[in-house]
């Protein structure tokens, strides 16, 4: 059976962890042998038509974009050999509704989390959470792929400030929805002690209810966990769609979705997370800055360097990740070679749905 | 206050395109953006997510509608 690596946003990492926990609970093979999970920091994301529309309205064709980055309150775009800058506020209004109610900034359930916040430009902040995260970080440094540096208390405080700001903003929106009589189950189930308890709330609900309670309600983050759990579903435009038949007595997709129930504390218990804990940063072993010694990346290129080490050293045989296509659309790819990883370096500011591909790789390798 | 907004493509039963488009144009909060081979593109706005959800559910139920494809679902910011 091949060992898999995965890179994703916090919601995608949550989807993966819930599928793993669900698989264990039901005694079903859903996404086993995922040996390394790299989570990104994430303040929000866009559906592709909105991101592309934003650029087009400013005279930039998505296919012309060489590089795009968000830095502070500016969106920086390199296109046609020019550097363009727009206020982030103009793009922020197109952020997916689900992101407005998302409480995780730093991928609290990853083996190792990565983002730019907290580090100087050209470096990646890494939150090392599990022994596996520690192992690949150490290995990548030993192999000369990564250079490390302390972020210091100021860097950690900056990270915590940003994570808290996201949490509090999302919480305000969640509370206002709850006051209007709406349910926001991923918030209501956060502190439940077990997955079983969380799942008891999803019993008897199938795809019809998933569509109504999560997708049309604006809670769907496009992770694709539902489609990974059921082959009758496919992801279209970042939303699950039924393509086959749906028996009356089934509720697997509803159970798999992180937005119908997310017992965060119980999911944490299933991982070997470090003993340090800071509010809104989750549990971890250490926080530091890293930069790749060769090759590029969005920030310090540390994610790609960690993946290269993991692939070359046999920690994983392949990695499921998100790349961009020529039109800047997110494309999920399974990388088996270093060059493929390098081709996926950089951030795509549009939501992908990688979990069905991850499930597919698991199926192929067993 | 939140101002939710969504984009969708509505696929009518073949031959019923004009009728569906007319009905969409009559719905408050719905703006028809155009008609293509895939269906009728609309932008929908509501005063609350609940209102927008109701609107989507109503259109989905129309007999002349084969498919309702949600393309995006955003919410304009309250002052942050
Ligand atoms: C939507 C989004 C929003 C982000 N917001 C923030 C933020 O607010 N603050 C912050 O500090 N950091 C944010 N990040 C993380 C940041 O952009 C970098 O990914 C991170 O700093 C790692 O940089 P690197 O140079 O080490 O990564 P690289 O070596 O360049 O590797 C980047 C990795 O990200 C993966 N990736 C790219 N786009 C996506 C995507 N859409 N979905 C899933 N995976 C993807 C690629 O597959 C690649 O493996 C965000 C990332 C994304 C995808
Ligand atoms: S829901 Fe949105 S903000 Fe939250 S992790 Fe996913 S993409 Fe990022
Ligand atoms: S058959 Fe698939 S889509 Fe239907 S309820 Fe079961 S898991 Fe969901
Ligand atoms: S409905 Fe599916 S794609 Fe959307 S959040 Fe739930 S599991 Fe993810």
């Amino acid at each position: 059976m091949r060992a898999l690596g995965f890179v994703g946003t916090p919601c995608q990492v949550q989807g993966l962890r819930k599928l793993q926990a669900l698989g264990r609970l039901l005694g079903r093979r859903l996404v086993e042998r995922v040996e390394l999970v790299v989570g990104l920091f994430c303040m929000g994301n866009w559906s592709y038509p909105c991101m592309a529309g934003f650029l087009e309205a400013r005279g930039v064709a998505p296919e012309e974009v060489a590089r795009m980055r968000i830095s502070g309150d500016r969106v920086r775009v390199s296109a046609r050999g020019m550097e363009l800058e727009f206020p982030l506020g103009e793009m922020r209004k197109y952020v997916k509704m689900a992101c407005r109610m998302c409480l995780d900034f730093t991928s609290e359930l990853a083996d190792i989390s990565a983002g730019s916040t907290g580090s100087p430009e050209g470096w990646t902040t890494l939150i090392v959470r599990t022994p596996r995260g520690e192992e690949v970080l150490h290995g990548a440094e030993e192999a000369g792929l990564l250079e490390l540096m302390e972020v210091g208390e100021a860097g950690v405080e900056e990270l915590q400030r940003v994570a808290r700001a996201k949490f509090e903003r999302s919480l305000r929106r969640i509370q206002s929805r709850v006051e209007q009589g709406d349910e926001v189950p991923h918030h209501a189930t956060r502190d439940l002690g077990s997955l079983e308890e969380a799942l008891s709330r999803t019993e008897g609900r199938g795809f019809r209810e998933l569509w109504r309670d999560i997708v049309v309600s604006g809670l769907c983050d496009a992770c694709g966990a539902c489609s990974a759990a059921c082959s009758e579903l496919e992801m279209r435009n970042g939303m699950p769609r039924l393509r086959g038949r749906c028996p009356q007595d089934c509720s697997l997709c509803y159970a798999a979705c992180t937005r119908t129930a997310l017992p965060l504390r119980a999911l944490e218990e299933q991982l070997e997370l470090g003993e340090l804990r800071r509010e809104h940063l989750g549990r971890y072993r250490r926080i530091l800055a890293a930069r790749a010694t060769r090759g590029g990346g969005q920030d310090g290129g540390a994610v790609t360097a960690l993946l290269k080490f993991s692939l070359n050293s046999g920690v994983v045989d392949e990695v499921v990740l998100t790349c961009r296509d020529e039109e800047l659309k997110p494309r999920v790819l399974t990388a088996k070679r270093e060059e493929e990883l390098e081709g996926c370096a950089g951030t795509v500011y549009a939501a992908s749905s990688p979990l069905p591909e991850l499930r597919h790789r698991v199926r192929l390798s067993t | 206050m939140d101002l939710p907004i969504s984009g969708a493509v509505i696929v009518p039963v073949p031959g019923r395109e004009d009728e569906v488009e007319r009905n969409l144009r009559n719905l408050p909060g719905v703006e028809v953006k155009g008609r293509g081979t895939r269906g009728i593109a609309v932008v929908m706005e509501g005063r609350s997510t609940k209102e927008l959800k109701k609107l989507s559910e109503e259109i989905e139920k129309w007999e002349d509608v084969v498919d309702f494809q949600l393309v995006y679902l955003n919410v304009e910011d309250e002052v942050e």
Side-chain angles (χ1 to χ4, degrees):
Chain A
M1 196 172 174
R2 294 170 74 76
L4 295 163
F6 180 77
V7 186
T9 53
C11 55
Q12 295 170 353
V13 172
Q14 288 172 348
L16 162 56
R17 295 303 192 199
K18 190 170 178 195
L19 282 172
Q20 287 178 322
L22 191 63
R24 278 193 286 269
L25 187 71
L26 303 176
R28 286 181 62 165
R29 289 177 173 278
L30 291 174
V31 284
E32 306 74 10
R33 289 293 324 259
V34 181
E35 296 293 340
L36 175 70
V37 178
V38 180
L40 304 171
F41 299 176
C42 182
M43 200 46 119
N45 208 349
W46 289 264
S47 48
Y48 176 75
C50 293
M51 190 267 285
F54 169 83
L55 291 171
E56 279 159 3
R58 281 152 190 82
V60 184
E63 58 272 24
E64 294 172 339
V65 174
R67 183 182 159 95
M68 187 166 169
R69 60 184 290 120
I70 294 175
S71 178
D73 60 357
R74 315 291 294 168
V75 185
R76 299 204 169 105
V77 179
S78 315
R80 301 188 298 258
M82 290 188 297
E83 298 297 318
L84 306 162
E85 246 189 68
F86 310 107
L88 177 58
E90 289 177 12
M91 189 162 151
R92 196 185 277 144
K93 68 177 186 202
Y94 301 111
V95 164
K96 282 167 68 65
M97 193 186 285
C99 299
R100 308 285 194 178
M101 287 169 280
C102 170
L103 298 161
D104 187 356
F105 174 63
T106 60
S107 287
E108 293 182 30
L109 300 177
D111 290 309
I112 190 162
S113 305
S116 58
T117 309
S119 284
E121 202 166 326
W123 291 77
T124 306
T125 302
L126 296 177
I127 306 181
V128 186
R129 301 188 184 278
T130 66
R132 178 45 56 82
E134 194 69 71
E135 177 194 333
V136 295
L137 178 70
H138 182 69
E141 189 195 13
E142 288 274 288
L145 292 168
L146 268 188
E147 189 185 340
L148 308 183
M149 178 175 86
E150 295 297 319
V151 287
E153 186 54 25
V156 178
E157 276 176 10
E158 167 66 359
L159 186 56
Q160 196 174 20
R161 186 188 65 72
V162 174
R164 179 182 298 117
K166 173 177 173 178
F167 183 91
E168 288 177 351
R169 209 155 50 208
S170 292
L171 191 62
R172 278 202 299 279
R173 178 160 278 114
I174 289 171
Q175 282 164 346
S176 115
R177 277 185 76 147
V178 171
E179 277 159 22
Q180 290 170 34
D182 276 341
E183 280 186 38
V184 184
H186 71 271
H187 174 253
T189 52
R190 260 170 88 81
D191 294 322
L192 292 183
S194 70
L195 183 60
E196 289 94 318
E197 202 181 338
L199 292 184
S200 66
R201 297 172 175 229
T202 66
E203 266 165 29
R205 298 188 202 183
F207 183 67
R208 189 203 300 251
E209 288 78 13
L210 188 73
W211 180 258
R212 186 195 63 203
D213 299 350
I214 305 300
V215 183
V216 189
S217 298
L219 293 171
C220 172
D221 55 39
C223 70
C226 50
S227 311
C230 175
S231 53
E232 305 293 336
L233 293 177
E234 64 182 358
M235 294 303 291
R236 240 189 280 158
N237 293 326
M239 318 226 177
R241 305 289 296 174
L242 194 60
R243 66 172 164 205
R245 279 181 348 99
C246 184
Q248 292 281 305
D249 58 348
C250 173
S251 62
L252 191 59
C253 55
Y254 204 96
C257 173
T258 55
R259 268 39 193 165
T260 58
L262 186 67
L264 203 62
R265 303 292 157 241
L267 294 177
E268 275 185 356
E269 288 311 313
Q270 307 213 348
L271 305 169
E272 282 183 85
L273 297 169
E275 290 304 318
L276 299 173
R277 178 193 276 281
R278 281 203 195 209
E279 211 180 358
H280 312 306
L281 300 186
R283 281 172 55 188
Y284 62 95
R285 285 155 197 262
R286 56 182 173 135
I287 301 179
L288 69 163
R291 120 177 128 183
T293 51
R294 50 181 185 271
Q298 184 72 9
D299 294 304
V303 170
T304 303
L306 289 167
L307 298 174
K308 277 186 198 170
F309 169 76
S310 308
L311 204 57
N312 294 339
S313 63
V315 171
V316 300
D317 300 302
E318 49 193 34
V319 183
V320 173
L321 37 60
T322 298
C323 300
R324 57 166 285 183
D325 73 3
E326 309 80 60
E327 292 179 315
L328 209 57
K329 257 194 198 138
R331 184 168 63 94
V332 176
L333 181 115
T334 300
K336 300 189 188 73
R337 291 178 293 116
E338 240 189 78
E339 308 83 77
E340 287 172 315
L341 292 175
E342 278 167 2
C344 289
T347 298
V348 190
Y349 290 102
S352 64
S353 302
L355 295 174
E357 169 66 9
L358 192 71
R359 174 86 202 277
H360 178 61
R361 302 311 303 180
V362 170
R363 278 211 189 97
L364 284 184
S365 74
T366 47
Chain B
M1 199 175 84
D2 284 354
L3 291 172
I5 177 162
S6 74
V9 175
I10 284 119
V11 186
V13 169
R16 307 291 293 170
E17 292 86 353
D18 291 343
E19 176 131 18
V20 172
E21 183 174 336
R22 203 166 41 244
N23 290 340
L24 286 168
R25 286 188 191 278
N26 285 336
L27 278 180
V30 176
E31 191 190 339
V32 174
K33 288 289 191 185
R35 217 153 105 175
T37 45
R38 287 176 53 213
I40 304 169
V42 296
V43 170
M44 304 190 292
E45 286 181 8
R47 277 166 304 176
S48 67
T49 35
K50 247 188 180 160
E51 197 179 288
L52 201 59
K53 184 174 158 183
K54 259 199 193 137
L55 200 54
S56 310
E57 284 178 342
E58 181 185 335
I59 299 170
E60 273 191 288
K61 278 190 213 136
W62 288 355
E63 278 184 7
D64 292 342
V65 168
V66 185
D67 199 8
F68 173 94
Q69 297 167 6
L70 205 52
V71 179
Y72 63 85
L73 194 39
N74 300 338
V75 56
E76 291 223 350
D77 254 344
E78 66 199 24
V79 179
E80 294 195 343

